[in-house]
Amino acid sequence: MVDILTPAAFGASRNVVNTSATTPVPAGYLVTERIVRWVFVAASGTVGWVPGDPATHTVYTQTVAGPTLGPGASAPINFGPVPSLPCGLYQETLTVDAGNTVTETDEGDNVGRHFFFVPSTQNFVINVIPVQTSIVHTAGPTNTHLFRITAAGAPAWRYGHFSYVANEGSTAATIPPRNTPGGPGPQVIQMVVTPKTHTISRFGLEPTVTGKITVISQDGCIIKQESAKAFIEHDVR
């Protein structure tokens, strides 16, 4: 199970349990709380979260002395406050008696793990505004659509990528080019289509150009895409 937390500072309370029915546990053993941020990977064949290196991605650690536990008893241990964390997936690891000061019948049950996710507050909206969705093949470079990006909590974002698919040789680009920062005010991306001139379209009467933009929030946790389609009119004889 993964809990969803807010970006605000928080405290954590975890129970430690003495599973022995006959032997008490004396106070003084150490209990360590460690929180490590995971890393999102998007590559060919691999999309998802992988553990961050604890040496560089540990965002919080605290060690406290554990209380006396009678046979079969449990007790809460409080940690924190954990400071406000950026968006992402985190793994919390609780280690009891890492120094092996308590004699136990099972030394392998002293580690507990738990995941939580902090969502981004840097949201934004992309609206597609048609300008001239149908153009003749002799028109030259034409602004066919506008992508308007507005903040919905995001202080900034990056227009990261543009791609297009054309079924008869036309091309497309954007103004400004990809990899352009934007925000906090609205950002407008123009899609410009350069049609290819044909006397007769080899693909029937509906050649098209479809462009798609990708926008990423400043914290990297929100990725949105929007697309637009333009039709190219050819002379058919």
Side-chain angles (χ1 to χ4, degrees), residues 124 126 147 149 157-163 174 177-180 187 189 211-217 222-227:
F124 54 87
I126 307 174
F147 298 95
I149 309 166
W157 54 81
R158 180 171 292 274
Y159 158 45
H161 186 69
F162 175 75
S163 61
T174 62
R178 63 186 182 181
N179 201 27
T180 300
Q187 181 183 33
I189 310 296
K212 179 174 67 178
I213 69 168
T214 301
V215 182
I216 307 171
S217 62
I222 296 179
I223 301 174
K224 292 186 178 182
Q225 296 179 318
E226 284 291 346
S227 60

Side-chain angles (χ1 to χ4, degrees), residues 25-217:
V25 175
Y29 54 94
L30 299 181
V31 182
T32 298
E33 165 97 341
R34 182 185 300 273
I35 299 175
V36 176
R37 187 178 186 184
W38 281 39
V39 179
F40 185 77
V41 175
S44 178
T46 301
V47 177
W49 296 92
V50 297
D53 182 352
T56 56
H57 287 71
T58 296
V59 297
Y60 182 81
T61 183
Q62 183 182 1
T63 299
V64 300
T68 299
L69 296 173
S74 64
I77 296 182
N78 297 317
F79 298 93
V82 179
S84 176
L85 297 174
C87 63
L89 181 68
Y90 296 85
Q91 181 182 38
E92 172 195 16
T93 301
L94 187 71
T95 304
V96 180
D97 190 31
N100 291 325
T101 60
V102 178
T103 301
E104 302 176 67
T105 56
D106 183 2
E107 295 285 354
D109 62 352
N110 290 346
V111 178
R113 295 179 176 86
H114 170 253
F115 288 92
F116 63 88
F117 185 81
V118 178
S120 174
T121 60
Q122 298 187 7
N123 201 7
F124 54 87
V125 176
I126 307 174
N127 294 114
V128 181
I129 304 170
V131 177
Q132 188 172 343
T133 59
S134 181
I135 58 178
V136 297
H137 66 124
T138 57
T142 303
N143 178 16
T144 63
H145 295 81
L146 302 177
F147 298 95
R148 189 172 190 269
I149 309 166
T150 54
W157 54 81
R158 180 171 292 274
Y159 158 45
H161 186 69
F162 175 75
S163 61
Y164 71 91
V165 175
N167 62 10
E168 43 67 88
S170 296
T171 60
T174 62
I175 302 174
R178 63 186 182 181
N179 201 27
T180 300
Q187 181 183 33
V188 176
I189 310 296
Q190 300 180 50
M191 185 171 98
V192 178
V193 173
T194 302
K196 182 175 181 179
T197 302
H198 292 299
T199 300
I200 299 175
S201 173
R202 297 180 293 111
F203 294 90
L205 301 178
E206 195 177 70
T208 60
V209 178
T210 302
K212 179 174 67 178
I213 69 168
T214 301
V215 182
I216 307 171
S217 62

